[in-house]
Amino acid sequence: MIVDCAVYRDGHRTEGPEDFSDALAEARAAGGFVWIGLHEPTEKEFDHVTHEFGLHQLAVEDALKAHQRPKLEIYDDSLFLVFKPVVYETESDAVSSGEVMVFLGDAFVVTVRHGEGAPLAAVRHRLEHEPQLLAKGPTAVVYAIADATVDHYLDVATELQTDLEELEAEVFSPDGGGSRHTASRIYRFKRQILEFRRATGPLGPPLTRLAGTSLSGAGVPFVDDRARPFFRDVSDHLMRVNESVEGLDRLVTDILSAHLAQMSVRQNDDMRKISAWAAMAAIPTMIAGIYGMNFEHMPELRWVWSYPAVIALMAGLEVLLYRLFKHRGWL
């Protein structure tokens, strides 16, 4: 559905015609632009926008189906960008991502939002209170969306760092690391980092192109070249986020390895204890087994002190083995 539609002139919102074609013509004549915001539109709802603004069919298909990687596509009459905003859910300590598709033309911006994590309402509110920035045209909208998305990445990275420190403390605690739920927590955390990386990693090349720092160094159509320093700033922030994600991934892998090593050591300790008790149980079993064979000619069978002597021998051997295993740390 259409969430908002407005015409902006000189950085200020104005009431424009309800018809998209008239609004676009009026914006072009006045040197302004039209900004239309949609939330999970159906194909029928989006057909009118596609026809009026001449959007490319491949980009429209991506915008309707969603589940896209961050990217930048250049078409004849418009620019198509995909952002993946990320939300950290405090209640479940989980990371979820949405999608924002942006169609950028000479005098229009069409934004399509999927999911609940997109910061478009806040971006529009911020820009409408900064007319000097909004006066820069459609490029200002793209910059504001990119800046808000990447800034929120930094907040999510901080939250994940806190969760990782708590997980690390649990793994290396005297008793917490042996919990059977610890490995599943580590795995779930690694999945959260993977979800985060899917949003932040692919966004690097599009921002590099917008910043004009790609190998070709060529500008991007429909984007004001004077905005390059601002996109470079956003790109620098994204680089910090990606470095943080790489660090988190390495640390959680090390924590998982340490946890598995701890579990292996504990299992070895358990096996040594089991082996020690089995060895101690084998001696009385062997002696009792020998004297239970009922042979007639066996030594000491008719001796009065045979029974207490055998019991004393077994007890002595048990004490000797116990002290030996205890000294070696097996018990």
Side-chain angles (χ1 to χ4, degrees):
M1 64 178 180
I2 297 178
V3 178
D4 200 353
C5 176
V7 177
Y8 296 91
R9 301 188 190 94
D10 299 323
H12 296 281
R13 181 172 181 146
T14 62
E15 294 298 329
E18 294 184 1
D19 184 78
F20 293 155
S21 296
D22 294 340
L24 182 58
E26 183 178 322
R28 283 172 173 162
F33 68 96
V34 181
W35 182 0
I36 300 175
L38 302 99
H39 178 235
E40 297 182 357
T42 63
E43 185 175 353
K44 184 177 180 181
E45 290 173 337
F46 206 54
D47 279 344
H48 185 52
V49 178
T50 302
H51 175 72
E52 295 296 340
F53 292 96
L55 306 180
H56 197 280
Q57 191 59 41
L58 291 176
V60 170
E61 183 179 346
D62 289 344
L64 289 174
K65 291 185 176 180
H67 303 293
Q68 304 294 316
R69 300 172 73 248
K71 63 180 180 178
L72 168 62
E73 299 285 351
I74 300 174
Y75 298 100
D76 293 336
D77 299 322
S78 63
L79 198 68
F80 179 63
L81 298 104
V82 178
F83 298 93
K84 289 185 73 71
V86 171
V87 174
Y88 179 84
E89 299 173 0
T90 308
E91 296 78 10
S92 58
D93 292 337
V95 171
S96 61
S97 61
E99 289 184 46
V100 174
M101 285 77 168
V102 182
F103 295 88
L104 183 69
D106 59 338
F108 68 86
V109 179
V110 178
T111 54
V112 181
R113 175 168 63 92
H114 291 269
E116 300 300 327
L120 291 184
V123 168
R124 190 185 287 263
H125 183 267
R126 169 196 165 191
L127 286 174
E128 289 180 353
H129 284 77
E130 296 183 19
Q132 72 282 0
L133 179 59
L134 194 57
K136 304 297 182 182
T139 301
V141 178
V142 176
Y143 161 71
I145 294 174
D147 185 54
T149 301
V150 174
D151 282 349
H152 202 58
Y153 286 165
L154 291 169
D155 297 336
V156 173
T158 301
E159 295 287 351
L160 289 176
Q161 181 65 45
T162 302
D163 287 350
L164 180 63
E165 291 172 358
E166 295 175 356
L167 186 60
E168 186 177 17
E170 177 183 338
V171 168
F172 291 104
S173 64
D175 53 354
S179 172
R180 59 183 177 181
H181 301 296
T182 303
S184 62
R185 280 198 61 195
I186 296 173
Y187 178 75
R188 287 197 303 269
F189 188 81
K190 197 169 181 64
R191 291 284 301 176
Q192 303 305 318
I193 295 176
L194 178 60
E195 180 72 19
F196 194 25
R197 175 181 281 177
R198 286 173 178 169
T200 63
L203 186 57
L207 285 181
T208 300
R209 294 183 66 184
L210 291 171
T213 55
S214 61
L215 294 178
S216 64
V220 178
F222 309 110
V223 175
D224 194 336
D225 288 341
R226 292 174 295 180
R228 286 185 175 187
F230 298 95
F231 285 112
R232 279 199 295 270
D233 180 65
V234 177
S235 183
D236 289 341
H237 290 173
L238 180 65
M239 190 178 300
R240 286 173 49 196
V241 172
N242 285 329
E243 290 174 353
S244 178
V245 172
E246 290 291 337
L248 288 171
D249 189 55
R250 287 195 299 269
L251 282 174
V252 76
T253 300
D254 292 342
I255 289 174
L256 179 59
S257 299
H259 174 67
L260 294 177
Q262 286 181 327
M263 295 299 293
S264 178
V265 170
R266 288 190 177 95
Q267 289 175 351
N268 288 337
D269 288 341
D270 293 340
M271 288 302 298
R272 285 190 298 181
K273 290 178 181 180
I274 293 172
S275 300
W277 287 112
M280 293 172 62
I283 290 179
T285 302
M286 179 188 66
I287 296 176
I290 291 174
Y291 279 89
M293 290 187 292
N294 296 321
F295 291 135
E296 182 177 354
H297 302 289
M298 291 184 68
E300 314 302 342
L301 280 179
R302 300 185 182 279
W303 185 37
V304 175
W305 297 101
S306 295
Y307 178 74
V310 169
I311 295 297
L313 176 63
M314 289 191 292
L317 291 175
E318 291 294 301
V319 171
L320 178 63
L321 284 178
Y322 180 83
R323 295 186 64 180
L324 176 63
F325 291 141
K326 192 73 173 177
H327 176 71
R328 294 186 176 182
W330 286 32
L331 292 175

